[in-house]
Every structure is written in C-alpha cells, then in structure tokens.
Amino acid sequence: MKAPLSLIFILFLFSSCQPIMMKMAGMNNIKSFDSLKYEEMAAELSSNYPGPKDSYAISDTAMVNYSVLFDTTFQKNTFQPIQLLYFKDKDLTSYHANCFAPGINLKHLDWNTEGRFDQYIPKSAVDLEKYSIGLDQLIKAIQIPVDQDKILKKDVVVFFWTRMVPISAKDLNEIMVKNATAYSKDNLPYVIYLNTDKFMSKASN
C-alpha cells in the first residue's frame, strides 16, 4: 500500500496530472488528521447545501478499499484529492475528479469545462461504461453507516475532499450546490461528504 500512497502525494494530479508548487496552488501540507480543522471545514461545506446530507472522515484503508472496486486502468483516479460521484438508482452515472478539470489559474480549476454542469445529472468527465460501480459496493468498501431509508428514491452524490486542497474543494462544492438547486430543487440529492485527510496525511509522510 505504501507505494501508491507516496505516488499520489508526489504527483498530486491536477489539471494536467503533473506536480505543481503547493503554496502557489493554495495547497496545505497535512501531516496528521486534525479533527477540529476537519469539523470546521466539513461544517462550511455542508452548510452551503440545503438538501439532505451527511459528513464522514474516512480511514486511509477505506480509500484503498474504494480503489479496488475499479480495474487497474481506473484506480489512479480514485486517489485524486477531489472527486465527485453521482449515483442514480444506485448506479454510478457521473464521475468527476481534479485531473479531468483544466486549470483556470494556479488555484482554480474549470469544473464546468465542456458545460458538464449545465445539466442534471452533470455530464461525466469520463466514460463509465467499463468502470461503473454500485452505491452499495462503495458504502461497504468505505465502511460508513448510511441509513438506507435516507437514500430511498433519491439520487446520491458522493463528494471526496481533503483540506490539502481547500480551494478546489470549495469551488466544486459551490458548483455542485448550484447545479442541484437549479435543476433538481424539488428532489435534492442526498450528498455524502467524505473527508480523506487521514489518507492524505499518511501519503505525505
């Protein structure tokens, strides 16, 4: 497990999947999981979303368990610091990650490139025909206590984020909220916010 953890920290795959300078890019070096800072940012993200939601800080092993749900050609994407997954009828129908969003400048990414978020559900950044997974598989892999009654007859959005790239996380959260409230306000999706600081902090050591 050590090799992919180190690799993902070194590469920090942004718009072109190449390394960039941390300070210039608004990145934080997370050496350990800080529960107070996690709770502060988790509250900030979730408070902007008016629909049903839950927040969790997942373990480093949960990220590895999540990655093996996909084949090896897709696994590098599952270690991205920012990811957004849309599930309809519990099937993955739209996937977004930082390395599929071109840079506007060093600190901001164009998440809506190609008009991806001009519709609901947003157009996937990648073709999922070969890579689709089920929501129940994901929940089991990352071991979070999701109440099945909450997600009954609802779309589900899973948002992987880390304090290591707070600007990108906040930018994407804003776009996700605007998209959901504009196009699906009568039945807002259930959003699961998943913080990956425990994984990212180990990757940096």
Side-chain angles (χ1 to χ4, degrees):
M1 185 174 71
K2 184 67 175 179
L5 294 183
S6 301
L7 177 63
I8 199 62
F9 175 74
I10 294 170
L11 293 181
F12 249 115
L13 315 172
F14 260 66
S15 58
S16 61
C17 295
Q18 297 295 323
I20 56 178
M21 295 178 65
M22 291 182 68
K23 289 185 178 180
M24 292 180 65
M27 296 169 63
N28 298 320
N29 185 9
I30 300 177
K31 295 185 177 181
S32 63
F33 177 73
D34 188 315
S35 61
L36 292 179
K37 290 182 179 179
Y38 152 69
E39 290 173 3
E40 180 181 356
M41 187 166 172
E44 180 180 356
L45 291 174
S46 63
S47 66
N48 290 324
Y49 181 62
K53 67 254 181 171
D54 275 312
S55 294
Y56 304 95
I58 61 176
S59 69
D60 59 319
T61 54
M63 284 294 289
V64 177
N65 293 340
Y66 158 58
S67 72
V68 299
L69 295 177
F70 297 89
D71 67 24
T72 55
T73 60
F74 195 87
Q75 282 180 6
K76 66 180 185 298
N77 301 320
T78 65
F79 292 108
Q80 296 298 321
I82 307 295
Q83 300 173 62
L84 194 65
L85 290 71
Y86 286 78
F87 291 85
K88 189 170 188 65
D89 298 325
K90 293 192 174 182
D91 290 327
L92 180 62
T93 57
S94 184
Y95 177 88
H96 305 265
N98 45 262
C99 73
F100 298 113
I104 298 174
N105 52 46
L106 281 176
K107 292 187 177 182
H108 298 276
L109 299 176
D110 182 9
W111 291 103
N112 196 35
T113 183
E114 302 176 348
R116 291 171 183 164
F117 285 83
D118 291 343
Q119 65 183 56
Y120 182 87
I121 291 174
K123 179 183 177 182
S124 182
V126 296
D127 184 358
L128 294 172
E129 184 177 354
K130 297 180 180 179
Y131 306 119
S132 189
I133 62 170
L135 178 61
D136 290 336
Q137 288 178 281
L138 175 60
I139 291 172
K140 183 178 180 181
I142 59 179
Q143 300 176 335
I144 56 173
V146 174
D147 186 343
Q148 291 293 323
D149 290 338
K150 289 184 178 181
I151 61 177
L152 188 66
K153 296 182 180 180
K154 278 195 171 293
D155 297 336
V156 176
V157 180
V158 179
F159 193 154
F160 289 89
W161 65 277
T162 171
R163 289 189 307 105
M164 196 170 280
V165 283
I167 294 174
S168 291
K170 293 175 184 179
D171 284 353
L172 182 55
N173 189 61
E174 180 180 356
I175 290 175
M176 182 274 293
V177 171
K178 287 182 177 179
N179 174 268
T181 54
Y183 294 99
S184 188
K185 62 182 179 180
D186 294 330
N187 188 21
L188 290 171
Y190 175 67
V191 177
I192 304 175
Y193 289 95
L194 299 178
N195 174 265
T196 61
D197 284 355
K198 293 177 182 178
F199 173 84
M200 294 298 172
S201 63
K202 286 195 173 183
S204 65
N205 296 324

